[in-house]
Amino acid sequence: MSVNPPNQKHPLPVPGFKVGTASCGVKSPALRGKRQDVTLIVAECACHAAGVFTKNRFRAACVRSGEKTLASNSENVRAIVANAGNANAGLGEMETVWARQLIETGAEAAGVVSDSVLSASTGVIGTPFPIERIQEKMHEASDSLAADNWEAAAHAIRTTDTFAKWSSAEIEIEGNRYTLTGIAKGSGMIHPNMATMLAFVATDAPIKAAELGPMLKRAADRSFNCISVDGDTSTNDTLYLLSSGIGLGHAPLADTSLFEHALTELCIELATQIVRDGEGVSKFVTIEVSGAACEADARTVGRAVAVSPLVKTAFAGSDANWGRILSAVGNSGIAIDTNRITLSADDVLMFEKGNLHPDYSDEQGMAVFSQDEFTISLDLGMGDAQATVWTGDLTHEYITINAEYRT
Amino acid sequence: MSVNPPNQKHPLPVPGFKVGTASCGVKSPALRGKRQDVTLIVAECACHAAGVFTKNRFRAACVRSGEKTLASNSENVRAIVANAGNANAGLGEMETVWARQLIETGAEAAGVVSDSVLSASTGVIGTPFPIERIQEKMHEASDSLAADNWEAAAHAIRTTDTFAKWSSAEIEIEGNRYTLTGIAKGSGMIHPNMATMLAFVATDAPIKAAELGPMLKRAADRSFNCISVDGDTSTNDTLYLLSSGIGLGHAPLADTSLFEHALTELCIELATQIVRDGEGVSKFVTIEVSGAACEADARTVGRAVAVSPLVKTAFAGSDANWGRILSAVGNSGIAIDTNRITLSADDVLMFEKGNLHPDYSDEQGMAVFSQDEFTISLDLGMGDAQATVWTGDLTHEYITINAEYRT
């Protein structure tokens, strides 16, 4: 089940990068040769890089090691090695050993030193990590390295995703043309503050690591941290951004605002693809919060609506139950004045400044809520800040996926 | 659906109190004469009283007025008037008018002044409040006032509850015997910080309002604020405690600790009955958190586990998916050291100080999780504080109730 997955063009190659995949049978030896499950992204020059990680206190070893590498070596990143099928998490001391072995295997296949390699793992928690199966087949990834291989990588990082997720953009800045290409995976355990979600973005726009870091954080706050499927945050969430531009000889950009805009849009595109593929999601709902005292307040209110089981089941039932939405707003913890709140669904005004709108009828609301995509707009009347959050509904299918199968 | 509802004795009368009910057809005129939906609790003397209310910012008029009455008149409360079938919430300015009319109608029926009357409403949000139907039939409530009528009241405050909830206790303090009787309702929108939950507790133990307030807050924090069905908090949640003892001529208790213990136990009994009757709940799970740095931390961790959709669907699926529990602990926001955490299910040790226990097998875990009641124990290894939280599973039935019916 997914809601209107994008029917999009192939991802664009990014100057300086090659991508390869391998079929290692990470989840089970029986899958070897049947699906690609290891991805290798290699840069031909030193990249400036940044990362955003899960805020879960149980952080998998790959997250801890990625953070460490970026802290010491963010201007000399050469590769990302990623696997699906096993999160290498919840495994105690062996986790760290296996994560290092994954990085060493990736470094060898990429022909670079291991402290220039970032890693990411996704899949089941608590099952011993089959490093030997990866070591055995990693050569397939180096053998298949190619500039136009991003789509294969988007497939290889999937776990329960029903479609592969990518997005590309081209921008012209100061007379030069640059590319951004990103791939992402995630469908369960999706929630603000990074979900079981991996996303890797590569660009040849020349920007220093010191600027990439805060920029990526802002872009994540407006994209991946604004989506919710089920309110859970995983142990392994990772977003990496690699820039080859300076290594390729470009002068660093004087003004990064155009790039940041393109990066944010690309992250939003990847993030909303994740919601469209959310476990059991049958509706894609955009929640626009305006009139907030600050952007953080707007986002908090949007998230409170996006995670409320009562709101999400109302979406599932095509029930324009505005009382549940207002109750969720009231639960957000943000200071609000209920007499200033205005609520619409698409272009139907439901609730205006504390009162049900006299022209509103349940039929109008139901007509909006019965669509597979619609927008809830909330004006808090407290200021000028706004934020957008994207969410899905909570369906029987979600229960079936999560109660009946082990993920 | 409910999990092992208690098969209990009738509630005990409390000296100084009489209870009556009426069938007003609040939800629909067609229900008039078919179910009792208005409750009147009358004290024959001035009561000392306290209340705990929803933290939702959309607070219904009854909550605002109850708070106001307790602020000015907490040593002279004479009655509670409550209705099921309409929350009188989300209705703008008329809400306040209707809430006042409900109180006036109750005061007249009780024969007391209106500023000594507390009110509470529960039911659908956003439907005009049918005060005239209540005014018309309120005489039934005064006509039926009787000391042994608590069970009828427990039935009359229900909305979607499948069984009526009450609890009684007798305690001996300083040579006198006192009674506590409480009734409660709630099954959907149940979450810490007070759910769509009403609970009224009456006692003849002589305690001043100034002491009842903080005591009730502590008892609520350890009972009603430790339960979760779906993570939503309603606009109308109300817990009232009325004490007739001083009005009946008893000297105020010098030591209230025995009473507070009994009150807390009674609130826990009412709160866990609410979980057992949670919408779609098929399992009753106790989450014991120990080794926390402080009680608030322990409660936060317990709640994080209790509300996680992935944990709750694992409960539903009888899947001993300990990774989801640890991930929820990591998401709680509390400072933890993953290498100190120990996790058990009933007497099966699963995870010990950061590592899966070598003797643990999935079969053992599944045997525990397949029961309809079990206990998850988490030792954080950070200190000596502990807390207990009670929750249910997340089932298809919950989706059916909330997606297919308007509540």
Side-chain angles (χ1 to χ4, degrees):
Chain A
M1 190 147 66
S2 63
V3 185
N4 304 334
N7 185 0
Q8 57 180 358
K9 291 181 193 159
H10 298 293
L12 299 173
V14 184
F17 293 95
K18 287 182 176 172
V19 180
T21 62
S23 180
C24 302
V26 176
K27 191 171 183 186
S28 147
L31 291 172
R32 191 174 272 191
K34 297 210 174 107
R35 64 152 292 187
Q36 306 294 303
D37 52 9
V38 168
T39 297
L40 188 64
I41 300 173
V42 181
E44 65 192 43
C45 56
C47 288
H48 286 243
V52 175
F53 301 96
T54 181
K55 290 185 182 146
N56 193 308
R57 300 262 177 171
F58 269 91
R59 316 178 92 195
C62 57
V63 167
R64 301 193 301 267
S65 109
E67 213 167 33
K68 211 167 140 192
T69 300
L70 287 173
S72 61
N73 216 14
S74 65
E75 300 194 350
N76 184 27
V77 170
R78 291 294 303 277
I80 298 173
V81 58
N83 75 276
N86 190 310
N88 190 26
L91 296 165
E93 290 139 28
M94 280 310 293
E95 226 180 274
T96 314
V97 176
W98 286 322
R100 196 173 52 237
Q101 289 176 317
L102 177 64
I103 285 173
E104 282 162 3
T105 310
E108 196 186 332
V112 299
V113 295
S114 62
D115 62 1
S116 70
V117 177
L118 303 169
S119 73
S121 297
T122 176
V124 65
I125 296 175
T127 298
F129 192 70
I131 185 66
E132 67 297 335
R133 297 207 289 273
I134 295 176
Q135 287 164 334
E136 221 172 284
K137 292 285 178 184
M138 182 62 90
H139 63 89
E140 292 181 5
S142 43
D143 292 348
S144 60
L145 282 172
D148 62 353
N149 220 2
W150 286 97
E151 192 168 335
H155 280 277
I157 59 173
R158 290 185 308 150
T159 53
T160 56
D161 303 59
T162 69
F163 63 89
K165 299 166 185 74
W166 70 81
S167 184
S168 284
E170 284 183 298
I171 43 170
E172 201 174 306
I173 305 176
E174 299 166 17
N176 287 307
R177 215 164 168 70
Y178 302 110
T179 304
L180 291 95
T181 286
I183 59 174
K185 67 78 52 179
S187 76
M189 255 194 180
I190 299 301
H191 187 58
N193 294 327
M194 310 302 294
T196 294
M197 191 213 84
L198 302 181
F200 310 138
V201 181
T203 184
D204 57 337
I207 304 170
K208 294 198 165 219
E211 292 179 84
L212 288 177
M215 201 183 291
L216 189 64
K217 173 76 174 61
R218 287 191 296 270
D221 276 347
R222 291 177 176 182
S223 57
F224 298 109
N225 287 343
C226 283
I227 60 173
S228 180
V229 172
D230 61 12
D232 268 301
T233 304
S234 107
T235 51
N236 289 50
D237 304 332
T238 303
L239 164 62
Y240 285 134
L241 169 61
L242 268 57
S243 160
S244 63
I246 294 170
L248 292 174
H250 296 287
L253 291 180
D255 180 351
T256 58
S257 58
L258 273 176
F259 175 81
E260 180 165 348
H261 179 76
L263 174 68
T264 304
E265 291 298 308
L266 183 120
C267 287
I268 288 173
E269 174 58 31
L270 292 173
T272 54
Q273 287 183 30
I274 289 174
V275 176
R276 290 179 185 282
D277 201 15
E279 287 174 348
V281 166
S282 74
K283 302 199 178 196
F284 177 81
V285 184
T286 302
I287 298 164
E288 291 179 347
V289 181
S290 61
C294 63
E295 185 178 332
D297 275 11
R299 202 172 292 135
T300 301
V301 168
R303 286 176 182 174
V305 174
V307 303
S308 160
L310 285 175
V311 170
K312 289 160 79 81
T313 47
F315 291 161
S318 300
D319 179 4
N321 198 323
W322 54 269
R324 292 185 185 176
I325 296 173
L326 294 180
S327 184
V329 171
N331 278 334
S332 67
I334 296 304
I336 54 165
D337 176 346
T338 56
N339 291 318
R340 296 194 200 172
I341 290 187
T342 295
L343 168 67
S344 305
D346 282 353
D347 54 357
V348 175
L349 184 57
M350 305 173 98
F351 194 85
E352 192 177 35
K353 296 186 178 164
N355 285 284
L356 190 59
H357 193 268
D359 296 341
Y360 173 72
S361 73
D362 242 14
E363 290 65 39
Q364 291 175 302
M366 299 298 185
V368 173
F369 276 56
S370 65
Q371 303 168 103
D372 60 5
E373 298 201 15
F374 54 92
T375 298
I376 301 292
S377 303
L378 276 158
D379 183 340
L380 304 182
M382 306 291 281
D384 292 324
Q386 72 91 34
T388 304
V389 169
W390 299 271
T391 191
D393 52 351
L394 176 57
T395 64
H396 283 293
E397 182 78 8
Y398 178 83
I399 306 288
T400 301
I401 292 170
N402 286 296
E404 294 168 25
Y405 303 98
R406 170 155 316 189
T407 56
Chain B
M1 191 148 64
S2 63
V3 185
N4 306 333
N7 185 359
Q8 57 181 357
K9 290 181 194 158
H10 298 293
L12 299 172
V14 184
F17 293 96
K18 287 183 177 171
V19 180
T21 61
S23 179
C24 301
V26 175
K27 191 171 184 187
S28 146
L31 292 171
R32 191 173 271 192
K34 297 211 174 105
R35 65 151 293 187
Q36 305 294 303
D37 52 9
V38 167
T39 297
L40 189 64
I41 300 173
V42 180
E44 64 191 47
C45 55
C47 287
H48 285 245
V52 175
F53 301 96
T54 182
K55 290 186 181 144
N56 193 308
R57 299 262 177 174
F58 269 90
R59 318 179 90 195
C62 58
V63 167
R64 300 195 302 267
S65 110
E67 214 167 33
K68 209 168 143 192
T69 300
L70 287 173
S72 61
N73 216 13
S74 65
E75 301 195 350
N76 184 28
V77 170
R78 293 294 304 278
I80 298 174
V81 57
N83 75 275
N86 189 310
N88 189 26
L91 296 166
E93 289 139 27
M94 279 310 292
E95 228 180 272
T96 314
V97 175
W98 285 322
R100 195 172 55 236
Q101 289 176 317
L102 176 64
I103 285 174
E104 282 163 3
T105 310
E108 195 187 333
V112 300
V113 295
S114 60
D115 64 0
S116 70
V117 177
L118 303 169
S119 74
S121 297
T122 177
V124 65
I125 296 174
T127 297
F129 192 70
I131 185 66
E132 66 299 334
R133 296 207 289 273
I134 297 177
Q135 287 165 333
E136 220 172 286
K137 290 286 177 182
M138 182 62 90
H139 63 88
E140 293 181 5
S142 43
D143 291 349
S144 61
L145 282 172
D148 62 352
N149 221 1
W150 286 97
E151 194 168 332
H155 280 277
I157 59 173
R158 290 184 308 150
T159 53
T160 55
D161 303 59
T162 69
F163 63 89
K165 300 167 183 76
W166 70 81
S167 184
S168 285
E170 284 183 298
I171 43 170
E172 200 173 306
I173 304 175
E174 298 163 16
N176 288 305
R177 216 166 167 69
Y178 301 110
T179 304
L180 290 96
T181 286
I183 60 174
K185 66 80 50 179
S187 76
M189 255 194 180
I190 299 300
H191 186 57
N193 294 326
M194 311 301 296
T196 294
M197 192 213 83
L198 302 181
F200 310 138
V201 180
T203 184
D204 58 337
I207 303 170
K208 292 197 167 218
E211 293 180 83
L212 288 177
M215 201 183 289
L216 188 64
K217 173 74 174 59
R218 287 192 295 270
D221 276 346
R222 292 176 175 182
S223 57
F224 297 109
N225 288 342
C226 283
I227 61 173
S228 179
V229 172
D230 60 13
D232 268 303
T233 304
S234 107
T235 49
N236 289 49
D237 304 333
T238 303
L239 165 62
Y240 286 133
L241 169 61
L242 269 57
S243 160
S244 63
I246 293 170
L248 292 174
H250 295 287
L253 291 180
D255 181 352
T256 58
S257 58
L258 273 177
F259 175 80
E260 179 165 349
H261 180 76
L263 175 68
T264 304
E265 291 298 307
L266 182 121
C267 287
I268 288 174
E269 173 58 31
L270 292 173
T272 54
Q273 287 183 30
I274 288 174
V275 175
R276 290 178 185 283
D277 200 15
E279 286 174 349
V281 166
S282 75
K283 303 202 177 194
F284 177 80
V285 184
T286 302
I287 298 164
E288 290 179 349
V289 180
S290 62
C294 62
E295 186 178 330
D297 275 10
R299 202 172 291 135
T300 299
V301 168
R303 286 175 183 175
V305 175
V307 302
S308 159
L310 286 174
V311 170
K312 290 161 79 81
T313 47
F315 290 160
S318 300
D319 180 3
N321 198 323
W322 53 269
R324 292 185 185 175
I325 296 172
L326 294 180
S327 183
V329 172
N331 278 333
S332 67
I334 296 304
I336 54 166
D337 177 345
T338 56
N339 292 318
R340 296 194 200 173
I341 290 188
T342 295
L343 167 68
S344 304
D346 281 354
D347 55 356
V348 174
L349 185 57
M350 305 173 98
F351 193 85
E352 192 177 37
K353 296 186 178 164
N355 284 284
L356 191 60
H357 194 269
D359 296 342
Y360 174 72
S361 73
D362 242 15
E363 289 67 36
Q364 292 175 299
M366 299 298 186
V368 173
F369 277 56
S370 64
Q371 302 168 105
D372 59 5
E373 299 201 14
F374 54 92
T375 298
I376 301 293
S377 303
L378 276 158
D379 184 340
L380 304 182
M382 305 292 280
D384 292 324
Q386 71 93 34
T388 303
V389 169
W390 299 271
T391 191
D393 52 350
L394 176 58
T395 64
H396 283 292
E397 181 77 9
Y398 177 85
I399 307 288
T400 301
I401 292 170
N402 286 296
E404 295 168 24
Y405 303 97
R406 167 141 335 174
T407 56

